[in-house]
Amino acid sequence: MLVSDLRKEFYDVIKGKRILVLVHSDIDGICASKILQSLFRADHILYTVVPVKTRSDLVSAFEQHREQARYFLLLNCGGCLDLVDVLSPPEDVKIFVADNHRPLDVCNIYNGDQVRILSQLGEDEEVPAFEDVFREEESEDEDEDSDEEDGKRRRFDEETLERRRARRQWHQQRHKIIFDYTQFSYYGSSTAMLMFDLAWKLSKDNNELLWWAIVGVTEGQVFERTEQDRCVLATGTLQGHVSRLNHQTQDSQPLDCLRITFEKELKLALYRHWSLVESMRHSLYASTTLKLWTLRGEKRLQELLAEMGLPLVQCRQLYSGMDVNLRQDLRSLLEEKSEKYGLPDLLFPSFSASRGFRIKVGSADYVYSAAALLEPPQKDITPTAAALDVADCLAVGREEVLERGIEGSKQQLSAIYRQVQTFLDMNQVISAGPFLYATVIQGTPDAWFFSAPHCLTLLARFTLRAHVSVSRGRKSGALPLVLTSPDVRAAQPDTCLVCGIPPTSEDSRRNFFGKAFEQAAEKTASRAELEFFDTNIIRLSVDDRSKFFDALISLLS
Amino acid sequence: MLSEKALELIKELDRSKDGKLPAFNEDIIRKVLEEMNTLFQQNQRDVGEAAAGEIRYFPSIHLRHAALDRNKRCLLAYLYNRLERIRAMRWEFGSILPADIRANLCEPETQWFNRYNKNLASYMRSLGEAGGLDLTQDTKPPKNLYVEVRCLRDYGEWEVEEGDTVVLQKDTTHYLPLAACHHLIRQGVLEQVE
């Protein structure tokens, strides 16, 4: 059941009750849960928040807590599963779902009362009509009964045959419709944004909540999950909220409150906390466009910096140590030169937060930091503890956690950069026909980083962009990439993570690998775990890798 | 120098921050008392002389007397402040002190602490209608009836007063009535989130 009025049909329902919130460990989900938590606190709604990472986590968390509460809320997880089937909840339990993963399972959408979907469907999302997917179960039973009778009596009159044929046709049709619907996995609008809208309607919005919504939306932007146009729309809406909540003059507010500004931001990773050269080298857009891992690219970079009139000494030291005048002009200087060097999208509209006299932090910086905290390089931090770290990092006044995340993110990005360079130098990106293919070799020192979904996806995107930018043939731009990496984080040995991303030439960020992986695994009976909520990543047994890829090639070609 | 030891005593107490109690420094106290004894005897002798009309003894008598007074004040201050701290700890830690603090008490202090305990307990029992009132809980009015807590280790099912059960599992966040989860916070099962 789709819920349209969140306030009446969700918030008023759970008021005064206990609610259990299961949050997927991604930044958007955690932001959404933080917004909700502050709403719940204001209304004395008792809650329990449990972070989940995989499908089995979701099921076991539900099993453990099912006695506690009658109301469950799933944030960014579960929308794509048939919840009633997977969780088999008791009759009186209501499950609310706010998920940014698409497509949503049709069973959830057409569930009568138990499963209620809070996410709003976009205009471009077409859900199959009810009558195309579901049919009266009873009539089928009757049919079966009569089939048996038919079998006994051996009577094949025209009417029964006709009915059977119609049913077969309908099933074929249904299969096709469902396949078309679930073929691509993609992301809808941000859940944090949805929850902020709820807060706004309850007149409980403030800068802090707004900032979480911004970080949630920025995640979709930075990791290129949400469609471009949807990002632009969301940014527009957020800008309205920002100017509404920050219209007071600076004098009337206390100094150490959170202040959000809307401005054009450089598409460089963490440049405020790094040196300019390092940041350019490690950010996907600038690095792949200028091909910074080659000698020529290095020269181009020096040329660019020289043309901007930035001394190399200044660019190589931390941004915060750069000359103030240079820092002020940096953005306009880069904007002037961006066209010439083929970096037209170097600036994008974004938000930044500042508190007191501390350094300004952009929303993208928060996302990088949180993503690094989510997949920590330390081996003793459990995924659930990491999710709590992220929640801490987003809280106002916990700058030390944020800084830890930023340092972690630098390590992560450096590892990605090194790995991409290895891929290209050793020509390890191989064309398998319908897709490109690369493998992080077992025993790579940085493998620990790449055995986590976010980082792996980032590596895949970086690799594909870099490969396309250096390869001569036009064709490579139209090919998707499949990347595998040994899963050293997993408990059982000899597994690897497989991640597929769509080709660079396509504007749409829809990803068909989820379905393809599922089918390939099914066909070859590989030992694969389709555990992640981001379906374009699966865990696969190393022994089954070759037959899995053979199946994938034949499936896609 | 006169009264140096006594000052040392005070400084020692001052240097240890609130919530800590240094060991009862019997050694220095004995030294201070010895010093006071000597001073007193010297004064006693000189007073005899002065009474006989020797004016030149007057300043030294005055000096020693002042030193005696100062020593006395310092000793009393030391003892009194220690008691104050012990009393504060009674409110903070409850009727049983942590072992490391108990080891730092001297015998009379322990006795005083036990008597204070008894007094406080009987007073708290006399308050309210049934069973008394625990004054040590909520010494400040709570800002909120509920509190957001994080679970630090697996604890299993736990019953909140209203009859609801909560599964306390590591790394989960809960919003619970403050009064109910007070002792779990003290046990280190839960951690309060600001």
Side-chain angles (χ1 to χ4, degrees):
Chain A
M1 181 167 113
L2 293 169
V3 168
S4 52
D5 188 345
L6 248 62
R7 187 180 170 171
K8 269 201 199 115
E9 292 172 64
F10 165 60
Y11 201 75
D12 287 350
V13 171
I14 58 162
K15 228 175 198 173
K17 314 266 177 32
R18 255 187 79 85
I19 184 162
L20 208 120
V21 186
L22 300 169
V23 193
H24 181 218
S25 305
D26 64 13
I27 298 154
D28 184 42
I30 292 171
C31 284
S33 88
K34 290 214 72 135
I35 294 175
L36 276 175
Q37 270 165 273
S38 83
L39 290 183
F40 290 164
R41 274 201 296 273
D43 280 318
H44 294 308
I45 298 173
L46 298 187
Y47 59 77
T48 294
V49 181
V50 185
V52 294
K53 200 176 163 71
T54 57
R55 218 175 269 205
S56 45
D57 282 354
L58 175 69
V59 177
S60 68
F62 186 83
E63 281 302 318
Q64 259 165 349
H65 297 272
R66 67 192 298 163
E67 297 303 323
Q68 281 184 52
R70 300 294 92 187
Y71 293 92
F72 285 79
L73 172 64
L74 310 187
L75 288 174
N76 279 357
C77 55
C80 308
L81 308 172
D82 182 0
L83 285 173
V84 177
D85 185 44
V86 175
L87 302 177
S88 51
E91 282 294 309
D92 53 341
V93 164
K94 303 260 182 301
I95 302 176
F96 295 96
V97 183
D99 196 350
N100 67 354
H101 297 94
R102 296 285 188 282
L104 297 168
D105 195 273
V106 278
C107 296
N108 289 338
I109 295 177
Y110 291 120
N111 186 290
D113 193 40
Q114 207 162 23
V115 179
R116 304 179 184 190
I117 293 173
L118 305 179
S119 310
Q120 308 299 312
L121 292 181
E123 283 165 11
D124 49 341
E125 295 170 38
E126 279 173 16
V127 180
F130 181 79
E131 50 270 24
D132 289 342
V133 201
F134 296 101
R135 228 163 107 162
E136 291 279 319
E137 296 285 325
E138 290 166 33
S139 67
E140 271 179 46
D141 287 346
E142 261 175 37
D143 281 353
E144 270 164 36
D145 289 345
S146 59
D147 278 353
E148 279 170 26
E149 281 169 26
D150 286 345
K152 280 174 203 157
R153 289 183 204 163
R154 305 219 171 250
R155 210 181 62 195
F156 291 102
D157 58 53
E158 206 146 297
E159 198 188 339
T160 3
L161 283 175
E162 190 63 33
R163 227 171 41 211
R164 235 187 267 174
R165 209 170 65 105
R167 204 173 69 220
R168 214 168 32 238
Q169 248 174 8
W170 182 84
H171 272 290
Q172 269 171 2
Q173 187 69 15
R174 175 178 191 271
H175 190 256
K176 191 179 168 301
I177 289 171
I178 293 280
F179 179 78
D180 284 347
Y181 177 62
T182 55
Q183 187 184 12
F184 290 100
S185 61
Y186 56 102
Y187 293 88
S189 48
S190 149
T191 310
M193 186 72 202
L194 184 78
M195 292 308 156
F196 179 76
D197 264 346
L198 175 67
W200 178 45
K201 279 173 193 150
L202 294 165
S203 312
K204 289 201 175 85
D205 53 333
N206 60 30
N207 255 347
E208 212 172 312
L209 302 194
L210 177 59
W211 182 246
W212 291 329
I214 288 174
V215 174
V217 170
T218 314
E219 191 210 10
Q221 222 166 350
V222 169
F223 294 135
E224 294 187 2
R225 291 180 160 185
T226 345
E227 303 284 335
Q228 201 90 41
D229 49 343
R230 198 169 269 165
C231 281
V232 174
L233 282 179
T235 311
T237 327
L238 284 171
Q239 191 198 350
H241 287 301
V242 166
S243 45
R244 185 169 56 82
L245 288 169
N246 290 277
H247 70 281
Q248 284 160 305
T249 48
Q250 297 199 344
D251 311 329
S252 63
Q253 284 175 311
L255 260 177
D256 61 343
C257 70
L258 184 74
R259 219 169 289 130
I260 304 176
T261 42
F262 174 77
E263 60 194 359
K264 275 195 169 175
E265 187 67 89
L266 293 172
K267 218 181 215 174
L268 297 179
L270 302 171
Y271 74 97
R272 273 190 241 267
H273 310 268
W274 221 342
S275 70
L276 189 62
V277 174
E278 288 292 300
S279 166
M280 282 195 126
R281 196 186 302 281
H282 293 100
S283 31
L284 185 112
Y285 181 67
S287 189
T288 50
T289 317
L290 294 174
K291 297 172 206 153
L292 286 183
W293 57 91
T294 59
L295 254 177
R296 268 192 66 203
E298 191 67 22
K299 269 189 193 148
R300 292 257 303 163
L301 175 66
Q302 306 239 355
E303 209 179 298
L304 169 66
L305 294 175
E307 258 189 59
M308 290 197 306
L310 295 176
L312 275 181
V313 188
Q314 296 275 354
C315 300
R316 285 203 179 118
Q317 68 175 337
L318 277 184
Y319 179 80
S320 51
M322 269 170 81
D323 207 324
V324 182
N325 298 333
L326 292 180
R327 263 192 291 176
Q328 274 167 355
D329 297 340
L330 183 65
R331 241 172 281 158
S332 54
L333 282 172
L334 271 173
E335 194 169 14
E336 269 173 41
K337 297 284 172 259
S338 59
E339 283 290 338
K340 185 179 166 190
Y341 286 86
L343 299 161
D345 299 331
L346 192 60
L347 276 90
F348 70 107
S350 181
F351 302 88
S352 58
S354 56
R355 212 173 121 254
F357 296 102
R358 285 173 184 277
I359 190 169
K360 231 188 216 179
V361 185
S363 52
D365 298 349
Y366 262 91
V367 172
Y368 279 113
S369 165
L373 284 173
L374 207 54
E375 289 155 359
Q378 296 90 341
K379 302 186 181 178
D380 51 343
I381 300 181
T382 57
T384 43
L388 287 186
D389 262 351
V390 175
D392 274 345
C393 140
L394 296 166
V396 174
R398 294 296 298 269
E399 273 81 5
E400 78 278 359
V401 187
L402 178 71
E403 264 151 42
R404 190 152 54 86
I406 286 175
E407 287 311 312
S409 178
K410 284 181 191 173
Q411 286 175 19
Q412 215 179 51
L413 290 172
S414 314
I416 289 176
Y417 180 76
R418 279 196 298 274
Q419 187 60 45
V420 170
Q421 191 154 24
T422 320
F423 276 152
L424 294 182
D425 289 349
M426 314 291 280
N427 282 328
Q428 279 174 347
V429 184
I430 306 155
S431 172
F435 57 86
L436 296 167
Y437 168 63
T439 299
V440 179
I441 293 164
Q442 191 95 30
T444 312
D446 292 326
W448 182 263
F449 285 105
F450 307 129
S451 57
H454 269 116
C455 194
L456 186 67
T457 320
L458 211 56
L459 173 69
R461 276 176 44 222
F462 210 127
T463 310
L464 184 60
R465 285 286 290 270
H467 177 76
V468 169
S469 73
V470 288
S471 65
R472 294 216 182 79
R474 290 234 154 190
K475 212 185 143 214
S476 62
L479 291 178
L481 172 77
V482 178
L483 184 71
T484 68
S485 164
D487 190 10
V488 284
R489 280 180 207 234
Q492 67 271 47
D494 292 337
T495 52
C496 60
L497 288 181
V498 182
C499 164
I501 53 163
T504 52
S505 60
E506 254 170 59
D507 286 335
S508 155
R509 286 163 184 172
R510 294 178 173 228
N511 195 328
F512 57 81
F513 275 113
K515 197 77 188 168
F517 284 161
E518 193 186 314
Q519 286 186 352
E522 219 168 82
K523 262 187 193 164
T524 56
S526 310
R527 275 160 290 167
E529 295 169 39
L530 311 166
E531 273 284 279
F532 295 101
F533 290 108
D534 300 312
T535 48
N536 63 330
I537 298 170
I538 60 163
R539 186 178 286 140
L540 186 71
S541 167
V542 173
D543 308 331
D544 294 339
R545 191 151 60 178
S546 52
K547 71 174 176 189
F548 177 81
F549 274 102
D550 287 340
L552 197 62
I553 289 169
S554 67
L555 201 69
L556 293 176
S557 50
Chain B
M1 223 168 78
L2 291 173
S3 306
E4 201 177 14
K5 288 283 170 198
L7 184 65
E8 209 173 283
L9 210 56
I10 298 291
K11 275 184 179 164
E12 184 197 52
L13 193 63
D14 188 48
R15 272 189 212 113
S16 69
K17 283 274 173 283
D18 283 344
K20 273 188 204 154
L21 194 71
F24 187 75
N25 204 332
E26 222 175 335
D27 193 33
I28 295 187
I29 288 185
R30 213 181 41 243
K31 279 183 186 154
V32 175
L33 286 175
E34 273 167 20
E35 187 188 297
M36 286 173 76
N37 245 337
T38 347
L39 284 172
F40 183 73
Q41 268 155 22
Q42 283 173 348
N43 254 10
Q44 202 73 351
R45 207 179 54 225
D46 286 2
V47 164
E49 303 268 328
E54 283 280 5
I55 301 170
R56 65 193 170 99
Y57 283 122
F58 272 24
S60 58
I61 292 173
H62 271 295
L63 177 68
R64 288 194 198 107
H65 189 71
L68 272 172
D69 268 352
R70 183 173 168 72
N71 272 352
K72 193 165 102 190
R73 238 187 9 249
C74 286
L75 281 182
L76 287 176
Y78 181 73
L79 295 174
Y80 178 70
N81 275 302
R82 279 179 67 92
L83 282 192
E84 285 279 280
R85 283 196 193 183
I86 295 168
R87 188 168 63 182
M89 280 171 190
R90 165 65 185 84
W91 288 81
E92 207 175 316
F93 297 120
S95 57
I96 294 164
L97 288 179
D100 57 327
I101 288 178
R102 216 160 5 156
N104 288 348
L105 297 185
C106 70
E107 186 49 35
E109 276 173 338
T110 322
Q111 279 170 18
W112 178 87
F113 180 75
N114 288 338
R115 279 209 303 279
Y116 183 75
N117 253 345
K118 252 181 227 159
N119 276 341
L120 190 66
S122 58
Y123 176 62
M124 288 198 298
R125 254 200 309 278
S126 70
L127 290 173
E129 282 114 49
L133 179 73
D134 191 359
L135 290 174
T136 54
Q137 293 269 334
D138 299 327
T139 45
K140 283 177 200 141
K143 271 191 176 169
N144 207 334
L145 284 177
Y146 299 93
V147 64
E148 185 172 23
V149 288
R150 228 170 239 184
C151 196
L152 297 179
R153 56 186 157 93
D154 288 330
Y155 186 78
E157 265 187 32
W158 176 65
E159 200 162 317
V160 194
E161 276 156 359
E162 288 100 51
D164 291 344
T165 52
V166 179
V167 177
L168 297 177
Q169 203 185 358
K170 191 174 182 294
D171 292 330
T172 49
T173 313
H174 307 265
Y175 193 57
L176 295 170
L178 178 65
C181 54
H182 220 263
H183 71 279
L184 282 182
I185 294 178
R186 285 198 179 162
Q187 275 177 30
V189 178
L190 300 175
E191 175 195 48
Q192 188 173 351
V193 189
E194 288 311 316

